[in-house]
Amino acid sequence: GAVVSQHPSRVICKSGTSVKIECRSLDFQATTMFWYRQFPKQSLMLMATSNEGSKATYEQGVEKDKFLINHASLTLSTLTVTSAHPEDSSFYICSARDPNGVYNEQFFGPGTRLTVL
Amino acid sequence: AQKVTQAQTEISVVEKEDVTLDCVYETRDTTYYLFWYKQPPSGELVFLIRRNSFDEQNEISGRYSWNFQKSTSSFNFTITASQVVDSAVYFCALSEAQGGSEKLVFGKGTKLTVNP
């Protein structure tokens, strides 16, 4: 099946720094990638939809300037958490849609656990 | 608006018991897709099944089975003869097929603990 990777898997940073998370589709080209956020013991909440070559579409309530998304190629989308604060600590998961897939199936990355001190 | 409800927050069973995880959804679309994902403690989402709105056939895959009932907007998941390795959080999700957004709306998840 299709494989999506995320890097890093875990990151700890100081408050005020910026953190970049990469999401890659390894064996297919993804025109659309999605970024989700999951707080402990809670569900996944869609943050934004990332389309290759265009601006990301953010969900209501998500700060565009805080969570910068870049989808520069068909296999890579990045999420940069700018000026991170402890409340940004969370589990971030990306997914990629295979345009050749049959049923809108999204393939999920393994997630990135961000801890902001 | 789309919504997925998993009323069971946590379920605890003893190994070899059967367990059913409930999922009720709301959507105005006539074409949509339903999914179940498993999230073990490691955090990675594992795809289990996808069902489109026009296919109400129940499906069985080994110890797993799914019951899709459009009349009650439910897509329930049953694990037969549960095992300790089934312990995880299970998410039901809904995706609209029209409009091109293809967003996934997740339920809050059901944490299943299978005790030896």
Side-chain angles (χ1 to χ4, degrees), chain B residues 56-72:
Chain B
E56 283 194 74
Q57 275 193 331
N58 292 331
E59 182 155 339
I60 298 175
S61 177
R63 296 185 296 108
Y64 295 169
S65 62
W66 291 269
N67 184 295
F68 178 27
Q69 298 276 347
K70 280 182 85 168
S71 59
T72 56

Side-chain angles (χ1 to χ4, degrees), chain B residues 41-59:
Chain B
S42 62
E44 183 168 0
L45 279 172
V46 178
F47 167 80
L48 296 178
I49 191 172
R50 166 195 58 235
R51 172 68 74 222
N52 76 59
S53 53
F54 297 108
D55 184 1
E56 283 194 74
Q57 275 193 331
N58 292 331
E59 182 155 339

Side-chain angles (χ1 to χ4, degrees), chain B residues 2-67:
Chain B
Q2 296 181 321
K3 184 179 178 181
V4 176
T5 301
Q6 293 179 256
Q8 305 149 307
T9 306
E10 294 192 38
I11 299 176
S12 183
V13 299
V14 177
E15 209 170 16
K16 297 184 183 178
E17 283 186 24
D18 297 348
V19 58
T20 295
L21 309 182
D22 297 333
C23 174
V24 174
Y25 63 92
E26 296 176 29
T27 180
R28 294 179 184 174
D29 295 331
T30 55
T31 304
Y32 51 89
Y33 300 101
L34 295 163
F35 302 79
W36 274 96
Y37 289 91
K38 174 183 180 180
Q39 187 177 41
S42 62
E44 183 168 0
L45 279 172
V46 178
F47 167 80
L48 296 178
I49 191 172
R50 166 195 58 235
R51 172 68 74 222
N52 76 59
S53 53
F54 297 108
D55 184 1
E56 283 194 74
Q57 275 193 331
N58 292 331
E59 182 155 339
I60 298 175
S61 177
R63 296 185 296 108
Y64 295 169
S65 62
W66 291 269
N67 184 295

Side-chain angles (χ1 to χ4, degrees), chain A residues 1-4 24-29 75 98 107:
Chain A
V3 179
V4 175
R24 293 181 186 273
S25 56
L26 298 185
D27 50 2
F28 66 100
Q29 294 185 326
T75 59
D98 183 351
F107 298 94

Side-chain angles (χ1 to χ4, degrees), chain A residues 31 49-57 69-72:
Chain A
T31 53
T49 302
S50 170
N51 295 298
E52 187 267 337
S54 64
K55 290 184 179 180
T57 303
I69 292 173
N70 184 289
H71 194 153

Side-chain angles (χ1 to χ4, degrees), chain A residues 56-73:
Chain A
T57 303
Y58 290 82
E59 294 299 300
Q60 193 171 10
V62 177
E63 298 176 60
K64 301 178 183 181
D65 295 331
K66 178 137 188 88
F67 300 101
L68 301 179
I69 292 173
N70 184 289
H71 194 153
S73 77

